Amino acid sequence: MTIQQLQYFITSAKYSSVSRAAEELFVSQSAVSKSLKALEDELGTILIERDRRGIRLTPDGMNFLRDSYTLLNRFEDIKQNYTGRASLPEKLDVSSQHYIFAVAALARFAADKSTAHYALNIRECPTSEIIDNVASRISEIGFIYYNSANKSFILRELDQNGLEFTPLAEAIPHAYLNKDHPLASKEAVSLEELAQYPFIYYNYDTDNTDFAEEVMSPSRAERSVSVSDRNTLFTMIKLTEGYHIGSGYLLDGFTPDNITAVPVAQSSAAQKLSMTIGRISLKGQALSPAAEAFLEICREILTEKSF
């Protein structure tokens, strides 16, 4: 087993694609495939399975990926101790639900002139993928939320994956609306009032509904639109009378000017839902200086702009 094999394996897992890994590593696809096959033969176990969408890790592959990151990080530490840190980029990989504060924090981090060399990556993806990415060390930290309805489910999933949740902010459900929307001027709107308009939500593929990014949704939406990225969601809100339900967090420069957020009225005070937004990371694992600096920026932004 070689460091090169670990790099090939980690990169293939990162992109769920041998061909994409080959492009990133500037080698041929056959070289990556042969390396992975030789690694599996040496270990005597199957690490990856192929399908029409690319590759996915087997249970042994997930465990080996975690160990590979540990070994490769140790290798990098040794290399840094003897070659100096000046020329090495500061790396940070984040997986997140569609939170504007995370993008804003990454932009502020990138604009900091004190960090001369860095390699940053943010992935906005379904909740289960965020958990998988952090558990397998593809991402160092992730951003998700829980509420009173899904808290036990989320915390159980995190515990089973060796992860911990650290709260960052509390928010109540808001409806994102076009400022010209008939309901935009109200102090609060109910789900019943919203029900006659198109419900726009983030596609969570085959995830359990407890992984849904929306803190609440209409019991029966007569019209709905599923999207996978924030830009499409905001475009649909701008051009239709559709709505989305989220934290209500808007930030100048990152949100279209004609989008507003109106609190969603909840009938029972005892059963009111709120969002606890936080970061997830490996249990007992110290965060890198880059991750700590990034999280401090996140906290600053969340303090500057209340929900």
Side-chain angles (χ1 to χ4, degrees):
M1 182 168 59
T2 67
I3 293 296
Q4 184 184 71
Q5 285 178 314
L6 295 182
Q7 291 172 328
Y8 284 8
F9 175 69
I10 288 172
T11 307
S12 297
K14 180 177 181 180
Y15 294 106
S16 299
S17 169
V18 171
S19 60
R20 178 70 187 280
E23 292 176 8
E24 293 293 321
L25 295 166
F26 300 102
V27 297
S28 68
Q29 183 173 339
S30 62
V32 177
S33 295
K34 289 178 181 178
S35 176
L36 296 178
K37 181 63 168 61
L39 182 61
E40 289 180 321
D41 289 344
E42 181 181 348
L43 297 174
T45 189
I46 302 300
L47 301 175
I48 62 173
E49 294 177 342
R50 292 173 171 79
D51 57 33
R52 60 185 180 82
R53 299 177 63 181
I55 65 169
R56 61 185 179 88
L57 300 183
T58 64
D60 282 342
M62 287 290 292
N63 291 330
F64 185 72
L65 182 62
R66 296 168 187 168
D67 292 336
S68 296
Y69 269 106
T70 300
L71 186 58
L72 198 59
N73 287 338
R74 181 58 185 149
F75 172 76
E76 291 294 339
D77 289 341
I78 294 173
K79 188 167 68 173
Q80 288 182 26
N81 288 339
Y82 291 94
T83 60
R85 303 179 65 90
S87 62
L88 296 175
E90 199 163 15
K91 294 183 178 181
L92 178 63
D93 196 300
V94 177
S95 289
S96 178
Q97 293 176 332
H98 296 79
Y99 293 131
I100 294 172
F101 77 84
V103 178
L106 200 70
R108 191 176 296 183
F109 185 96
D112 185 355
K113 298 296 191 295
S114 65
T115 306
H117 306 282
Y118 55 73
L120 310 177
N121 187 33
I122 186 167
R123 311 162 193 272
E124 293 185 324
C125 44
T127 307
S128 64
E129 189 174 337
I130 296 170
I131 293 173
D132 287 344
N133 287 347
V134 179
S136 62
R137 302 195 183 196
I138 291 175
S139 293
E140 185 173 0
I141 55 177
F143 293 113
I144 64 173
Y145 84 95
Y146 62 65
N147 58 42
S148 57
N150 71 355
K151 180 178 179 179
S152 60
F153 172 82
I154 292 293
L155 293 183
R156 184 172 64 249
E157 287 292 312
L158 296 179
D159 184 64
Q160 291 175 352
N161 282 276
L163 304 176
E164 60 186 2
F165 182 97
T166 303
L168 291 174
E170 293 286 335
I172 62 172
H174 283 69
Y176 290 106
L177 303 168
N178 186 311
K179 287 183 178 179
D180 295 326
H181 193 284
L183 302 177
S185 61
K186 295 177 66 69
E187 291 186 3
V189 295
S190 66
L191 287 178
E192 290 74 19
E193 289 175 305
L194 292 167
Q196 61 183 300
Y197 302 101
F199 177 51
I200 305 169
Y201 66 97
Y202 287 115
N203 186 341
Y204 46 90
D205 294 324
T206 58
D207 273 2
N208 186 303
T209 54
D210 283 320
F211 280 140
E213 195 161 334
E214 293 73 31
V215 65
M216 59 169 52
S217 60
S219 57
R220 184 176 64 86
E222 295 183 1
R223 292 174 290 171
S224 64
V225 180
S226 169
V227 302
S228 60
D229 66 273
R230 187 190 306 105
N231 184 60
T232 302
L233 181 137
F234 281 146
T235 298
M236 292 301 298
I237 294 175
K238 283 194 305 180
L239 300 179
T240 73
E241 290 188 338
Y243 69 97
H244 170 70
I245 295 179
S247 67
Y249 186 83
L250 301 176
L251 190 62
D252 292 342
F254 293 88
T255 311
D257 293 338
N258 59 342
I259 300 293
T260 189
V262 179
V264 177
Q266 300 185 57
S267 56
S268 172
Q271 298 179 347
K272 279 189 175 179
L273 289 176
S274 65
M275 302 173 67
T276 300
I277 300 170
R279 59 96 166 167
I280 61 173
S281 57
L282 288 170
K283 286 182 179 178
Q285 182 75 39
L287 297 178
S288 67
E292 291 285 9
F294 173 71
L295 284 171
E296 182 58 33
I297 296 172
C298 288
R299 285 187 283 266
E300 290 174 2
I301 291 174
L302 290 170
T303 301
E304 293 167 3
K305 186 77 173 180
S306 61
F307 290 89

